[in-house]
Amino acid sequence: IAGLAVTIGNEPWLTFSASDGRWQLVAPVGQAEVVVTDLRNGDRGTKSVFLTDPAAVASADLATQPAGPRVVEIDPEDGATDARRSSTTRVLFSERVAKLAPGDLLLTDAVGNPVLATLSTNLTRTEATLLPVNPLASGTLHTLTLAGTIADPAGLPLEGPRTFTFTTQSLAARG
């Protein structure tokens, strides 16, 4: 199929398949995961290849299949250490998700206590936002957990990571 996006794992390189379905892409020596994505509908396929020689050519036969949504962006970023205490937590999905329930995005503090927050989505349900009722505790690790029930309207479940963490800014000392 022409026009499929082809990447190598988390590498920054991208190419598109030609009209005959062939593609060429640079990959590091060692184990590499080739990922092909149909940008029209989000269907994906993966295949592992092992390269022993940087000048060698490897081939991988790939096919796409229906795939569930993925988290493509989160704010604050996963692992952030300076999140504002008054900020929202925003999740951007790769595609529309089915209607979310209040517990589908759960924000907890360092000891696992739920943070009271309101959940909203944009009209296309590709973005979800949690707005804490009160400012978050300063200098505290928070965890955002996405429920295993999150899926697209066809029922395909959320794929990829479901747990993300960030730490809020510490209060500045006053002199």
Side-chain angles (χ1 to χ4, degrees):
I1 297 175
L4 298 178
V6 184
T7 60
I8 302 293
N10 292 323
E11 300 296 336
W13 310 300
L14 167 73
T15 192
F16 293 93
S17 59
S19 60
D20 63 359
R22 293 179 183 264
W23 50 270
Q24 290 184 338
L25 198 58
V26 176
V29 171
Q31 191 74 27
E33 181 181 42
V34 180
V35 180
V36 61
T37 305
D38 187 335
L39 299 176
R40 296 169 297 169
N41 56 21
D43 292 352
R44 285 189 299 276
T46 61
K47 177 91 173 202
S48 289
V49 296
F50 191 82
L51 299 173
T52 57
D53 179 356
V57 175
S59 64
D61 289 326
L62 290 152
T64 61
Q65 59 186 15
R70 298 179 74 81
V71 173
V72 294
E73 186 178 320
I74 187 160
D75 185 35
E77 291 181 6
D78 189 28
T81 58
D82 61 349
R84 290 190 346 244
R85 296 178 54 226
S86 61
S87 67
T88 61
T89 301
R90 186 180 62 84
V91 179
L92 182 63
F93 298 103
S94 60
E95 63 179 274
R96 180 182 179 93
V97 295
K99 187 173 181 181
L100 297 174
D104 284 346
L105 276 72
L106 178 64
L107 185 62
T108 56
D109 63 17
V111 293
N113 295 321
V115 172
L116 187 59
T118 58
L119 172 65
S120 62
T121 60
N122 63 357
L123 291 176
T124 58
R125 289 200 308 265
T126 56
E127 186 176 318
T129 303
L130 277 179
L131 175 61
V133 172
N134 297 305
L136 299 174
S138 67
T140 302
L141 178 73
H142 290 83
T143 302
L144 175 67
T145 304
L146 307 183
T149 55
I150 297 175
D152 68 11
L156 294 169
L158 183 68
E159 297 181 1
R162 296 178 191 275
T163 304
F164 307 90
T165 61
F166 64 89
T167 302
T168 49
Q169 295 172 333
S170 295
L171 290 176
R174 294 185 177 185

